[in-house]
C-alpha cells in the first residue's frame, strides 16, 4: 500500500517488481492470473514489464480501493 514506482527505468524485472510491491516473484504471476496485472514483454528468454504499465495498474488499484 502506497508503493511508489518512481524511477528513470523503462522496464522492471520480476525481482524489482516483487521488491517494490512487497511480494514474492511467484506472487507476480499469481497477480497476472487473478487481477489483470500487466503481462510481461519477452526479450529473448527474459520477462520484463513496462514501468508505465505497472504504475498504471498500481494506480488503478489504489483508486478502486479508495
Amino acid at each position: 500500500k502506497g508503493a511508489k514506482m518512481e524511477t528513470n527505468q523503462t522496464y522492471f524485472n520480476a525481482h524489482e517488481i516483487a521488491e517494490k510491491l512487497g511480494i514474492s516473484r511467484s506472487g507476480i504471476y499469481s497477480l497476472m492470473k487473478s487481477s489483470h496485472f500487466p503481462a510481461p514483454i519477452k526479450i529473448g528468454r527474459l520477462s520484463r514489464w513496462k514501468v508505465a504499465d505497472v504504475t498504471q495498474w498500481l494506480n488503478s488499484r489504489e483508486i478502486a480501493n479508495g
Side-chain angles (χ1 to χ4, degrees):
K1 291 115 182 205
K4 299 295 181 200
M5 293 287 173
E6 295 175 17
T7 180
N8 292 326
Q9 292 176 255
T10 303
Y11 297 99
F12 285 135
N13 64 34
H15 176 78
E16 292 168 323
I17 293 173
E19 188 175 280
K20 290 179 184 300
L21 297 181
I23 61 175
S24 66
R25 289 189 302 176
S26 62
I28 295 167
Y29 296 96
S30 295
L31 283 173
M32 286 171 51
K33 290 179 183 177
S34 66
S35 66
H36 308 292
F37 192 79
I41 295 169
K42 292 297 217 176
I43 303 171
R45 292 176 42 197
L46 304 175
S47 294
R48 297 292 184 261
W49 287 261
K50 287 184 179 179
V51 170
D53 291 348
V54 174
T55 301
Q56 181 179 5
W57 173 83
L58 185 62
N59 289 340
S60 71
R61 293 200 29 108
E62 288 176 355
I63 290 168
N65 292 333

